[in-house]
Amino acid sequence: MEATRGDGALAGRIAEYPQVRDREAVGRGWRDLNASAENEAELAAALKKLFTEGSSARALVDAIFSYCPFLTDLAVRDPRRLLRCFTTDPEAHLAALCADVETRLAKSAIMGEAMADLRRFRQELALLVGLSDIGGVWNIDRATLNLSRGAETAVSAATDFLLRAAAARGELTLPDPQRPSKGSGYMVLAMGKLGAGELNYSSDIDLIVFYDGDAAPLKPGLEAARFFVRLTRDLVKLLQERTEDGYVFRVDLRLRPDPGATSIAVSLAAALQYYESMGQNWERAALIKARPVAGDVTAGEALLSELAPFIWRKYFDFAAIADVHAMKRQIHAFKGHGTIAVAGHNIKLGRGGIREIEFFVQTQQLIAGGRQPDLRGGRTLDMLKRLADFDWITEDARDELSQAYRFLRRLEHRLQMRRDEQTHLLPKDPDGLDEVALLCGFAGREAFSAELTRQLSCVERHYAALFEDAPALAGEVGSLVFTGGEDDPDTLQTLARMGFAAPQDVAGAVRSWHFGRYPAVRSEKARERLTELVPGLLKALSETANPQAAFFAFDAFLKGLPAGVQVFSMLRANRELLSLLATIMGSAPRLAAILSHRAHVLDAVLDPDFFGGLPGRETLEEHLDLALGEARGYEDLLDRARRFGQEQAFLIGVRVLSGMVTAGQAGDAYATLAELIVRRLHAAAQGELSAAHGQIAGGASVVLALGKLGGREMTAASDIDLIIVYDFLPGTTQSDGARPVAPFTYYTRLTQRLISALSAPTGEGTLYEVDMRLRPSGHSGPLAASLASFTSYHEESAWTWEHMALTRARVISGDRDLAGKVEAVIGGALRKKRDDETLKQEVVEMRRRIDEEKGSAEPWNLKTTPGGLVDVEFIAQYLQLASAADHPEVLDQNTAEALRKLAAANLLAPGDADILGEACGLYHNLTQVVQLALEGELDLATAPRGLQALLVRTAGVPDIAVLDAQLKDTEARVREVVVGLLGAAPWRERG
């Protein structure tokens, strides 16, 4: 919706405002705003005059109240701040804000005051940018530049404050007290979007901190490393720690050299040595945007000049470019398949997203920047123009990508301004999409979806075309001769160029295939097909992270095939399938092992629907019914269930591996699959039991899922935790069949049949390991629990740990009426009033027992290491039990959802919720990948490079060192939260 454009103050320059959607929210907003100003007559009058009915200013605030709770809170909390934003020139207002916070921090000597001043500065900056952006006063270029200016001011002012404080303590002598950073030897480089001056609304700020110990004017005897690390820790606290005023910016220091092994402030000498000897291509790409923003800026600029030969190589080969390209892990695995989704799409990392535009620019900068200094800038839009000016890209590419970049960045801001969330995900639900569409100025989600799809497709097309003509990584494939009994020297050279570490072993294995030593290659036709396939196969394997390991995984797969003609023909006709197979062999030994025994699952990958994402629940249910409906008996049904379950689980894993679905989505998909299979086999087991023993009068049973299945957090290797609960008419003593049995015996046998149906090996293998230990009384209790015993146990006898487990309980199969009764029992048990101190002690004791039995100091033992997944789950379960009596809305079987609900109910502090929520996502995603790829435990030192690359992609970080550092940092922060909430450390000290 358009408004009248003016000049000067923001109120007179509003160019647009979204159509209002939520009139109730608008009404609440105005009531709250007026209430905040009602005791100040002059302020109330000024607001009334400014926000007259029909004015552009009122229409813009209506839109803020309708869509943006965060901006609404900023406006309502301080009406004078809102008035200042509307009645001053926004550029002048920003300059005054920056000058004011610099002055305040220059005069302050108290950490708490400085933190409050910085946070109030950020609040007004956020409101000013939000109003100017949504109101069309600033275009997206100006908005991101001004956000960057504000962030730079905050970092610089905070750094100066800390240096002055250190000087006051006598720890250093400032060469220029009026400019504390000058000559300090302390350099703060902004990376990423802050470095480029294109910061997004709710972004982290990526910083690297260097220091020159020789130049720093430190007190004699003071160790430079210790001083500057402490200074950096205080800088992070000033900016990131949440207080009653919120936070300033989240700080990410993980782009520093070798973050897993270096401290948060890196010495200049160590940095230069690292980049000269070990610097990687992703670090070259990251340093393109580097810019000194705080500390000794002159020294920072000198450092970047010294690093210029590292960043801007005169000759940058395509192998190096492919390595940089590999950082963009989210690109769709198979060109030409699938469609770009809108609901739930990640506009930053997803196909056609912001990251692809950035990499489109950066890769060409790396190629050409060494010889063309004009291409060394950081801002994406500026560099698109320069690349076209120097004929590196066409004018059409420049214009289309620039338009898409502005569109996506504007959308990014709308997503983030609503709740100050660092999100890039579009809503999945139609109402949420409508809200975003209207906030972006569209009439509704249909028009918005069409335009977004057009922009994403345009970006994807340009990004894919960028690499179409690049030479293959190994150059042209040379001689590949595998006849005779001796190695061909030229072939060995070709294999070595392709990246195979032991060419003789590869050549010998291929020759053995041609000699028909495996069943799959016994026939002449199979060997002919394989001969045609070998060059493409070797090329595909050579493009994996570890060609040698991938090759021998394929060799094991081939060895296990009973026949080869059909598989070889499929691979020869489907190059995408060949690439996928190579990726599996190089990244996921567990999936490769499954393929070695069950090659038929490859058939399902040929279904066109495979590339469209995960099937919906209804579709999966239809396919399962179709598969089981043709069974010729109970045993055949069990075999068919196993084939279906194995095939679908494999397909979920392959989708994760190829980037079509996230690891998080896979957890829900595995759980849905298991739930449907349990439901069908429960019914089948009941049918078999009825045929033998008849029915129990009024009898019914339900299957209760707990653990990972109950929480919809399953992995490829999860067992399933189940409890069977049954009920029957009072007075019933036996079933009515030819061989009657008592109800207890009847439902015990039903449980045994279901366990056997799920876990007993048949000719088609097994489905799931079943764990029944969470049933009432555990091992000592009956296999199935009557409703009466289940009720009395959880009302009178259950241990606290059993109620913690019950927070994840969910009925997945059986009689609906009985399900309602069981759910009522569970709800009653979870909503019991509890003594918090007693509960804390019991939780601590339980966690300590787990630590004594299974604890590990290894950070990659993601589940039981201190600060790991068990601790996140325990906190979620503890808080639910502690608060559900008064806040039943916090109950949720899913850990991440439970944490979100606890935070929404103000039962978990925002800072703690952020830490636990991020940890929960990281741990689940990494666990998903590890369980997908490996049969046993992960040893990072010996893990396949392909698996390491998959872990890196899943976490969205540049390399494994960064991920290792992030994991250790996350576990440390979780430990702090756990101790803070429980009042004690529930782990033993480890050396």
Side-chain angles (χ1 to χ4, degrees), residues 590-608:
R590 189 174 190 275
L591 285 182
I594 292 172
L595 269 182
S596 296
H597 295 97
R598 306 193 176 279
H600 68 82
V601 297
L602 278 177
D603 293 345
V605 179
L606 297 177
D607 187 333

Side-chain angles (χ1 to χ4, degrees), residues 125-320:
L125 173 70
L127 183 59
L128 175 64
V129 174
L131 292 170
S132 299
D133 190 330
I134 294 176
V137 178
W138 288 342
N139 61 23
I140 194 65
D141 306 28
R142 178 62 56 183
T144 57
L145 187 63
N146 287 340
L147 276 168
S148 302
R149 181 181 174 188
E152 180 178 346
T153 297
V155 176
S156 179
T159 301
D160 286 353
F161 168 83
L162 293 171
L163 289 169
R164 286 191 194 95
R169 294 191 299 268
E171 294 176 329
L172 79 165
T173 302
L174 297 175
D176 184 351
Q178 298 302 312
R179 293 187 293 170
S181 290
K182 183 180 180 182
S184 64
Y186 188 68
M187 295 155 270
V188 182
L189 267 58
M191 310 292 286
K193 288 188 169 61
L194 176 56
E198 50 191 21
L199 194 65
N200 52 288
Y201 192 77
S202 295
S203 177
D204 287 354
I205 54 174
D206 295 296
L207 304 177
I208 302 182
V209 175
F210 299 108
Y211 65 88
D212 185 348
D214 296 330
L218 298 178
K219 180 181 72 174
L222 183 60
E223 183 185 348
R226 181 170 299 179
F227 172 79
F228 285 115
V229 166
R230 176 163 48 86
L231 187 73
T232 304
R233 192 173 292 119
D234 288 342
L235 177 62
V236 173
K237 179 180 180 179
L238 262 175
L239 296 171
Q240 180 171 284
E241 185 173 287
R242 285 182 179 266
T243 70
E244 62 182 8
D245 294 312
Y247 66 102
V248 190
F249 291 99
R250 295 174 294 268
V251 179
D252 193 333
L253 298 169
R254 289 171 295 169
L255 292 180
R256 67 186 185 273
D258 196 3
T262 58
S263 56
I264 55 176
V266 182
S267 76
L268 186 61
L272 292 172
Q273 181 180 6
Y274 171 85
Y275 287 123
E276 181 179 345
S277 60
M278 299 174 62
Q280 300 175 57
N281 286 319
W282 72 261
E283 290 171 305
R284 290 186 171 89
L287 285 166
I288 289 176
K289 295 179 181 288
R291 180 170 59 94
V293 295
D296 194 335
V297 172
T298 302
E301 289 171 344
L303 170 60
L304 286 178
S305 294
E306 198 162 352
L307 290 177
F310 164 72
I311 305 168
W312 305 109
R313 292 164 60 177
K314 190 172 182 180
Y315 300 104
F316 208 81
D317 57 60
F318 279 97

Side-chain angles (χ1 to χ4, degrees), residues 965-980:
Q966 178 185 1
L967 183 63
K968 292 172 182 174
D969 177 65
T970 300
E971 290 169 353
R973 290 191 293 155
V974 170
R975 289 195 293 271
E976 291 178 5
V977 172
V978 170
V979 173

Side-chain angles (χ1 to χ4, degrees), residues 701-785:
S701 65
V702 295
V703 180
L704 195 61
L706 301 95
K708 296 296 185 187
L709 175 54
R712 307 191 69 83
E713 299 163 347
M714 286 185 68
T715 70
S718 292
D719 57 11
I720 54 177
D721 297 280
L722 302 178
I723 299 176
I724 309 299
V725 182
Y726 65 91
D727 197 17
F728 55 92
L729 287 177
T732 303
T733 59
Q734 62 182 20
S735 62
D736 61 8
R739 291 182 290 158
V741 293
F744 171 84
T745 304
Y746 187 94
Y747 287 106
T748 298
R749 291 184 181 179
L750 173 63
T751 304
Q752 290 169 331
R753 282 180 180 271
L754 178 58
I755 294 172
S756 178
L758 291 165
S759 61
T762 73
E764 294 294 337
T766 63
L767 274 170
Y768 303 101
E769 292 295 323
V770 179
D771 192 336
M772 304 288 291
R773 288 174 296 178
L774 293 178
R775 68 187 187 271
S777 301
H779 281 305
S780 61
L783 276 179

